[in-house]
Amino acid sequence: VVSSDGTAQIAEKDRDDILGGNAPPEDDNDEGSGDDDEGDGDEDGGEEIGPPGAVTNLVGAAGDGKVTLSWDAAPNNGSALTKYVIEGAGDSWEISPSQRVLEIGDLDNGESYNFTVTAHNSEGAGDTATSPSVVPSADVPGVVENVEATANPDGTVEVAWDEADGEGNDVTGYRVEAVSGEGDRTVVGQADGTELVTADGDLNYGVHYSFSVTTLAGDAAAEPSEPSDSVTPFNVPDAPTNLLAESSSSAAGTIDVTWNQPASNGRKIEKYIVSAGDQTKEVTETSASMEGFGNNENVAVTVVAVNEAGESDPASTTSNTMSKPTVQVQNHSSTAKSITLNLTYDDGGGEVTCDLLRDGAVKVNNGSCDSLTEGGLRASTEHIYQVRITNAAGNSKTSNYKASTKAVKVTVHFECDDPAGDPYCDGTDSDRISIRKGASHDTAEVGATGPGKTFNASCYTTGDKISPRGNDGQGVFRDYHKNKNDSNIWVLVPGQGGYIPFVWLRVDGAGVNGTGDLPKC
C-alpha cells in the first residue's frame, strides 16, 4: 500500500494478530511468518511448526493499587501468534499479540502478586512465563513531566524528559513506552538518565507514535507521564528495485532507464538521482533518458532515491548504447516474376528499416528486414542486389548479391501435313522463322530460327496477329502447328535480341496455347 505521501508498506492479506483470527497454513520449512510484534521465527528452520515459545523479560512495576506488566514477544515457532493470555490476582485477560504492556488495577497495596503470560498460535498454547512477585504500594515516586520526542533521520527516535521527584524514594530509572496511532503499547527501553534513543528497526517507519515515561523506584512505579506529541520514525528509502537500462530504440547515444519505487521508509520520496557515465539527472518519475553517448558505448547506470533523511543505497546496472546495424543475405528464392532475398540482421539495439537496391537504385524502400521481394520482373533474367539497413545510429550495406528470376524455356515447334514438300518442315530451310526487333513484321530482322530450337524467354507482348495455318503459294492449305490458335502474342527472347511469334513456340510446362509462368512485358 502506497500512501499519498509516497510511504510504502506491506498490506498483509491474512492477519492473525487480532483476537479470533485464524492463522493461515504454513509451509513446513517456514522459518516464522509473524511480524516483529509476533516474535521471531524458528531460527533453525528445520523443526516442525508448533505452539509458541515462552515470552521473555516479563517484569511488573508496582503502582498505587496496580501493577503494570511488560514483556518481549514470544517466538511464534512457525505459526503467527493469535493472542496473549495473562492470569493472576484471581482474574485473566486476553490481548492482541501486538500488545506487550498490560496495566492491572483494583489491587491491594501491600499484597504480593504474581502473574503469568502465555502466548497462543493456531497450534495451541505455548510455555507459560511467571513474573517476579510485585507488591502494589501508595509509596511511589513522582510523575515525569515534559516528555518530548524527536524522530531522527536514521530510523531512531530520541525521547527526553525532565527529571522526576522521587517523593522520598530513590529513583532507579525510567521506563519508556511507545503507543502507536492504533493503540498498540510496547516498552521500548529503560534509562538511568532523562533521555533514551530507540534503535533503528524497533519502531515501524511511517507509523505515528507518542511516548510516555514512567518513573521507577525499585519495584515501585509512578503513574505514566502525559504522552509526548506524536512523531513518525523515518530513514533513507530502500534502493530502487527492478532497475532496467537499455539502449533507446529510436535515438542514438541514448539509454532509457526505468525502475520501481522502493519503500520510502516513513518520508515521501522527493526525487531520484540518475547517473549514467559522467552524466547526472534528477527526476521525480520512475524513468529517465540519458543522452549524449557514443555508438555502442558501455555505460554504467545507478539510481538512488532521496527523501528527507537522505539518499538510498544505489541500484546499479550497465547498458550499451545503440550501434550501427548489420545485415546479411542468407539465400534467395524466385519466381518468373519476382526475386526474394532472405536476410539475417543485427538491429544494433534500435528500430531498423531495410532498403533493397538493384543495380545501384532503390527498388524496395523501408521493407522488412527479414526478407525483401522485388516483383514485376522478367523471367530468365539476372540481377545484382544490395541490401541497406538503417537505424538512428547509422546504416550499412551488404556486398553485391547475384540472383535470377526463374528461367522459362520456349521451344520452336512445327507440325506439317506434307514434310517432304514443305521447306519449313523438311529441315532444308530450318531458319526461315524471323526474329524481329519488335512485335511486328515491319520491324528489323535481328535473327532467324527453326524447329526444335530452345531458348530462355523473358516475357511476352502483343503485336501483329499471325495464323499458323492457311494456303501456301500454290493454293495448298497447310497446318504448320496443329491445335495452335491464331495469336497476336510475341515472345521476347533476350539471348537472341528480339521477338518470336507465339504461334511458332511452345512454353515448357504449359499447354499448346498457354504462356505458363511467362510474365507480360
Side-chain angles (χ1 to χ4, degrees):
V1 177
V2 181
S3 66
S4 59
D5 67 354
T7 300
Q9 288 182 288
I10 297 296
E12 296 295 341
K13 294 169 63 179
D14 296 301
R15 286 192 62 185
D16 295 289
D17 56 352
I18 56 174
L19 292 182
N22 292 319
E26 300 291 333
D27 293 335
D28 289 343
N29 61 354
D30 193 341
E31 296 186 359
S33 60
D35 59 26
D36 289 342
D37 288 336
E38 296 168 346
D40 295 332
D42 176 17
E43 294 180 358
D44 293 335
E47 297 182 7
E48 294 183 359
I49 295 172
V55 303
T56 56
N57 296 326
L58 173 59
V59 296
D64 187 2
K66 66 179 181 179
V67 169
T68 302
L69 299 175
S70 64
W71 59 90
D72 291 342
N76 63 27
N77 289 342
S79 179
L81 300 183
T82 57
K83 63 182 177 181
Y84 289 109
V85 176
I86 300 92
E87 296 179 311
D91 207 346
S92 65
W93 300 263
E94 292 186 3
I95 64 175
S96 162
S98 61
Q99 297 277 8
R100 297 200 297 274
V101 175
L102 179 65
E103 184 178 287
I104 301 171
D106 296 327
L107 302 177
D108 295 327
N109 288 336
E111 184 174 338
S112 178
Y113 293 91
N114 294 94
F115 296 91
T116 63
V117 178
T118 306
H120 290 249
N121 64 12
S122 63
E123 301 297 314
D127 294 332
T128 296
T130 302
S131 73
S133 296
V134 186
V135 179
S137 172
D139 186 15
V140 294
V143 177
V144 167
E145 296 181 347
N146 299 322
V147 180
E148 296 182 351
T150 304
N152 299 319
D154 59 359
T156 65
V157 175
E158 182 178 348
V159 185
W161 55 91
D162 291 343
E163 184 176 1
D165 186 344
E167 303 288 349
N169 299 287
D170 291 332
V171 174
T172 57
Y174 300 90
R175 185 183 68 227
V176 182
E177 183 179 323
V179 182
S180 75
E182 296 180 351
D184 295 337
R185 298 175 62 188
T186 54
V187 173
V188 294
Q190 189 165 312
D192 294 332
T194 57
E195 68 175 24
L196 179 141
V197 179
T198 67
D200 179 29
D202 281 355
L203 301 171
N204 294 325
Y205 301 138
V207 176
H208 299 298
Y209 292 93
S210 60
F211 297 84
S212 64
V213 181
T214 300
T215 311
L216 302 176
D219 292 334
E223 290 290 325
S225 69
E226 289 294 320
S228 70
D229 291 338
S230 66
V231 296
T232 304
F234 69 104
N235 209 329
V236 297
D238 289 350
T241 59
N242 296 328
L243 176 62
L244 176 64
E246 54 188 358
S247 64
S248 168
S249 62
S250 59
T254 299
I255 293 174
D256 292 332
V257 188
T258 60
W259 59 92
N260 289 351
Q261 176 179 296
S264 60
N265 293 340
R267 290 294 188 270
K268 179 181 179 180
I269 293 177
E270 300 168 352
K271 62 184 178 180
Y272 298 94
I273 301 175
V274 186
S275 298
D278 59 358
Q279 300 185 37
T280 300
K281 204 179 263 190
E282 295 185 359
V283 298
T284 56
E285 303 297 327
T286 55
S287 63
S289 291
M290 309 297 285
E291 307 90 1
F293 302 102
N295 288 343
N296 198 30
E297 182 175 344
N298 185 263
V299 180
V301 178
T302 62
V303 180
V304 297
V306 182
N307 68 5
E308 180 183 334
E311 297 182 3
S312 71
D313 289 335
S316 303
T317 188
T318 60
S319 175
N320 278 50
T321 57
M322 187 190 307
S323 60
K324 286 185 179 181
T326 57
V327 62
Q328 296 85 35
V329 180
Q330 288 294 97
N331 51 50
H332 76 279
S333 60
S334 62
T335 69
K337 304 176 184 180
S338 66
I339 294 175
T340 298
L341 301 188
N342 299 310
L343 313 173
T344 58
Y345 66 95
D346 179 350
D347 62 14
E351 297 173 355
V352 292
T353 58
C354 282
D355 302 322
L356 181 64
L357 291 73
R358 174 164 62 84
D359 303 325
V362 175
K363 294 301 180 182
V364 178
N365 183 245
N366 292 340
S368 166
C369 290
D370 293 315
S371 65
L372 291 169
T373 299
E374 182 185 16
L377 299 175
R378 295 179 176 183
S380 313
T381 55
E382 182 181 82
H383 301 287
I384 297 177
Y385 289 101
Q386 288 180 311
V387 176
R388 179 175 59 209
I389 188 169
T390 303
N391 67 12
N395 65 76
S396 62
K397 289 193 298 187
T398 66
S399 56
N400 289 341
Y401 184 87
K402 290 182 180 180
S404 299
T405 53
K406 178 182 177 182
V408 177
K409 294 186 178 298
V410 295
T411 302
V412 181
H413 189 84
F414 289 92
E415 292 179 356
C416 300
D417 290 333
D418 184 15
D422 194 321
Y424 279 87
C425 299
D426 64 7
T428 59
D429 206 1
S430 59
D431 288 338
R432 290 296 302 275
I433 296 177
S434 297
I435 301 174
R436 300 285 176 172
K437 186 174 183 180
S440 169
H441 285 295
D442 294 334
T443 61
E445 184 176 6
V446 294
T449 187
K453 293 189 176 179
T454 299
F455 306 100
N456 283 335
S458 63
C459 59
Y460 69 89
T461 186
T462 56
D464 292 346
K465 187 174 183 179
I466 299 174
S467 176
R469 58 191 60 81
N471 293 323
D472 62 10
Q474 288 76 38
V476 178
F477 181 86
R478 299 188 183 278
D479 188 351
Y480 297 104
H481 197 162
K482 289 182 179 181
N483 300 317
K484 191 75 168 182
N485 297 332
D486 296 353
S487 177
N488 64 350
I489 293 176
W490 290 63
V491 176
L492 178 61
V493 184
Q496 302 302 307
Y499 292 85
I500 300 173
F502 181 56
V503 295
W504 309 125
L505 298 174
R506 287 193 178 182
V507 178
D508 283 8
V512 174
N513 293 294
T515 56
D517 293 334
L518 197 63
K520 195 171 184 180
C521 295

